[in-house]
Amino acid sequence: MAIVAYSSQSSLFAITRKWLMVVTWQSNLRISLRLAQSLSKPWYPSMNKPPLHDLRVLDFTTLLPGPLATLLLAEAGATVVKIEHPKGGDPARARRSAISGASVEFALVNRGKKSIALDLKSPAENAQARKLALQADVLVEQFRPGVMARLGLGYDALREHNPRLIYCSISGYGQTGPLAQVAAHDLNYIARSGMLGTSTHPDGRPVLPQGQIADIGGGTLPAVINILLALLRQRETGEGCYLDIAMAENTFMWMRRPLAPVLEGGDSPPPGSFSNTGASPRLGTYLAKDGVALAVVAVEEKFWTRFCDLIGLTKSERDDVAEPAAVRTRVSQRLAARTGAEWKTLFEHEDVCVEVAQSVASAFHDAHFQQRGVFDRSLQLSGSQTIPALPVPLAQEFLASDRDGCPALGSTAADDDAVWNR
C-alpha cells in the first residue's frame, strides 16, 4: 500500500509539474508576443490599407522641404499632425492666390494633415507639444540647429521617454560645422556646393535652376528615404534614431560629372564643360521662328544622325567634334526657319529626342498626362472649392484614398483624444 500510495503521489506530482510547465510556457509566450508587438509593428501591412497607415508623424516644419516630406508620408497613409504658431502659422499660408484668394501653395503640400496651433515658448503649450512628441513614431523639424533643444524638445530630451522615436532634423548645412548657424535658401546651398556655377549665360552669370534642387533633392527626398530606412530598423530593433539632413551637402550626389575630375585630384571643369551644361550642340535649347523653345537631346549617334537629316544638315555640316560652336550655330539657324508647331509635327513620330517646351498650363492639359491620371486626385480648399492635388511620386497602390482636405490653422485641439485618429 505504501508503494502504491507513493506511485500515485509521484504520478500526481509529475502531472502537476507538466501542467505548470505548460501554463508557464503559455504565459511566457503571451508575454513574448505582447513584448514583440510593443517593440515591432507588423512588417507587412494589410493589402487593403496604405503602407504607413499606423504611423504617427509630428511635423514642426514650414514652407517646402519638411512639409513636402511629410506630405509624402501622409499620402502613404501616415497620420501627420502639424504644429504651427498661433499667429499666422506656416508662412506659406500668407501666399494667397490671385485667382481664388486661397493659400493654394500651402494647401498643395499640406493635404491630408492636421493642424494644431501652439506657442512653443509658452510652458503650458510646450508641454502639450512634448506630450504629442512622446506619442509620435516620427518627428520632423526644420528650425535652425539648437532651437528645438532650447525649447526642451530636442532628441536627447525626448528619446529618454520615447526610445522608438525617429527624429529628423532638416537644415541647410547640418547640425554641426562652421556653417550650421548660417541663414540661407535653396539658391545659396547650390552656390555653396558648386552646382550653380556649372552652367552660365554668355555673360558669365550662372543659369538659375527651374526647380528647388536643394530644398527637394537635398532636403525632402533624403528626409523621406532616411525616415523609411529608420522605420525598417525601428521595427526590427524597437529603437529610434536621430537623422541630420543637410540640404547643401546632399546636392553633391547630383553632380557626378563635375565632381569626377575633382575627386581624381584635378581642378573644377570650367562652366559649360559637359553636354548637359552647354558643351555639345546635341543637347540644348533652340528657338523656332515664332520664339517657341525646342529642347534637343539628340546625344546618341542614331538620334543625332536622324535629327540632322530632318533639319537639313549635311554630313560635313554636322561634325560637332571638330567644330561644336559652328554646328550649334547651324542647328540654331535651321530651327529658326520654321515655327514650333511645324517642328512638332515633323519630329512627332521620329526618334530624335526633341520636345517643344510647353507652358505649365499646356502640360496640365497634355493628353499623355491626362490619360495616365497624373492630376486625378483632388484637393479641397476652403468651403466647397476643389482643385487637383499635387502629383507625388508614389505608386498608385501605396496611396491613401481618404485624404483630400487641407487643415485650417489650429483646426485640431492638442488635447483632443482623437488627435492621432485619421
Side-chain angles (χ1 to χ4, degrees):
M1 292 296 295
I3 294 175
V4 173
Y6 177 77
S7 298
S8 298
Q9 290 174 357
S10 298
S11 298
L12 180 61
F13 175 78
I15 292 171
T16 302
R17 184 172 180 273
K18 288 181 179 180
W19 179 79
L20 287 172
M21 289 176 64
V22 170
V23 170
T24 302
W25 178 82
Q26 290 177 335
S27 176
N28 288 338
L29 178 61
R30 285 194 296 271
I31 293 171
S32 298
L33 287 173
R34 284 198 300 270
L35 179 61
Q37 289 170 354
S38 67
L39 290 177
S40 177
K41 294 182 180 179
W43 278 97
Y44 305 104
S46 167
M47 293 297 287
N48 297 322
K49 296 179 180 179
L52 302 182
H53 71 276
D54 57 352
L55 189 70
R56 297 176 170 185
V57 179
L58 193 60
D59 180 5
F60 289 87
T61 67
T62 61
L63 299 175
L64 180 62
L68 185 55
T70 56
L71 172 73
L72 293 174
L73 300 177
E75 294 283 23
T79 299
V80 177
V81 175
K82 185 179 179 73
I83 303 299
E84 301 184 75
H85 195 279
K87 295 182 179 179
D90 188 328
R93 288 185 181 272
R95 299 175 181 173
R96 296 194 171 273
S97 164
I99 299 173
S100 64
S103 302
V104 177
E105 285 189 30
F106 171 84
L108 286 173
V109 294
N110 288 284
R111 177 181 185 270
K113 303 177 186 178
K114 297 182 178 183
S115 170
I116 295 177
L118 293 175
D119 180 355
L120 299 179
K121 293 182 179 180
S122 160
E125 295 181 31
N126 183 289
Q128 290 179 312
R130 179 181 175 84
K131 179 181 178 181
L132 291 168
L134 297 182
Q135 298 169 345
D137 301 301
V138 176
L139 184 153
V140 186
E141 64 94 8
Q142 198 179 291
F143 292 109
R144 199 172 295 198
V147 170
M148 286 290 275
R150 290 195 294 273
L151 290 169
L153 297 169
Y155 178 62
D156 290 337
L158 296 177
R159 70 171 174 176
E160 182 180 351
H161 303 285
N162 185 4
R164 292 174 52 83
L165 182 64
I166 295 167
Y167 194 112
C168 178
S169 294
I170 303 173
S171 65
Y173 295 107
Q175 301 299 301
T176 60
L179 299 177
Q181 296 297 325
V182 173
H185 287 293
D186 181 87
L187 194 64
N188 304 124
Y189 304 140
I190 64 171
R192 189 83 188 195
S193 70
M195 178 184 286
L196 186 62
T198 60
S199 182
T200 61
H201 293 287
D203 63 3
R205 289 179 300 110
V207 176
L208 290 177
Q210 288 77 45
Q212 290 171 262
I213 296 172
D215 283 352
I216 299 175
T220 296
L221 297 181
V224 173
I225 291 168
N226 283 280
I227 286 170
L228 295 178
L229 290 173
L231 280 170
L232 287 175
R233 189 171 69 179
Q234 180 212 61
R235 295 186 178 190
E236 183 177 347
T237 66
E239 296 181 359
C241 64
Y242 183 77
L243 304 174
D244 179 2
I245 306 298
M247 291 182 275
E249 65 194 45
N250 286 337
T251 63
F252 284 117
M253 183 189 73
W254 295 68
M255 295 189 287
R256 170 181 56 90
R257 282 185 173 178
L259 263 180
V262 175
L263 296 178
E264 287 185 300
D267 201 357
S268 300
S273 298
F274 301 98
S275 60
N276 64 325
T277 57
S280 171
R282 300 187 183 199
L283 191 158
T285 55
Y286 297 90
L287 294 179
K289 183 178 181 180
D290 54 355
V292 171
L294 301 168
V296 177
V297 196
V299 177
E300 292 84 357
E301 195 61 36
K302 63 179 181 179
F303 298 141
W304 177 244
T305 298
R306 184 57 181 155
F307 171 74
C308 291
D309 289 343
L310 289 170
I311 68 172
L313 278 186
T314 66
K315 290 185 178 180
S316 63
E317 294 175 320
R318 64 179 73 165
D319 187 355
D320 60 319
V321 176
E323 45 179 10
V327 173
R328 180 180 293 279
T329 299
R330 293 178 193 131
V331 171
S332 181
Q333 291 170 345
R334 294 296 197 284
L335 293 178
R338 299 188 186 185
T339 66
E342 290 174 320
W343 287 122
K344 183 176 182 178
T345 300
L346 181 63
F347 294 138
E348 199 163 22
H349 300 294
E350 297 283 352
D351 270 350
V352 291
C353 299
V354 178
E355 283 285 349
V356 171
Q358 298 191 115
S359 67
V360 176
S362 296
F364 172 74
H365 294 289
D366 189 289
H368 175 80
F369 298 133
Q370 290 293 327
Q371 184 177 330
R372 286 185 55 81
V374 174
F375 296 96
D376 281 357
R377 308 182 85 224
S378 63
L379 167 64
Q380 185 174 348
L381 302 177
S382 57
S384 59
Q385 183 183 4
T386 300
I387 64 172
L390 183 71
V392 292
L394 301 180
Q396 187 68 33
E397 63 187 288
F398 297 141
L399 291 170
S401 60
D402 59 346
R403 314 293 166 88
D404 62 0
C406 171
L409 176 60
S411 53
T412 299
D415 56 359
D416 187 343
D417 292 337
V419 65
W420 292 113
N421 294 343
R422 287 190 298 279

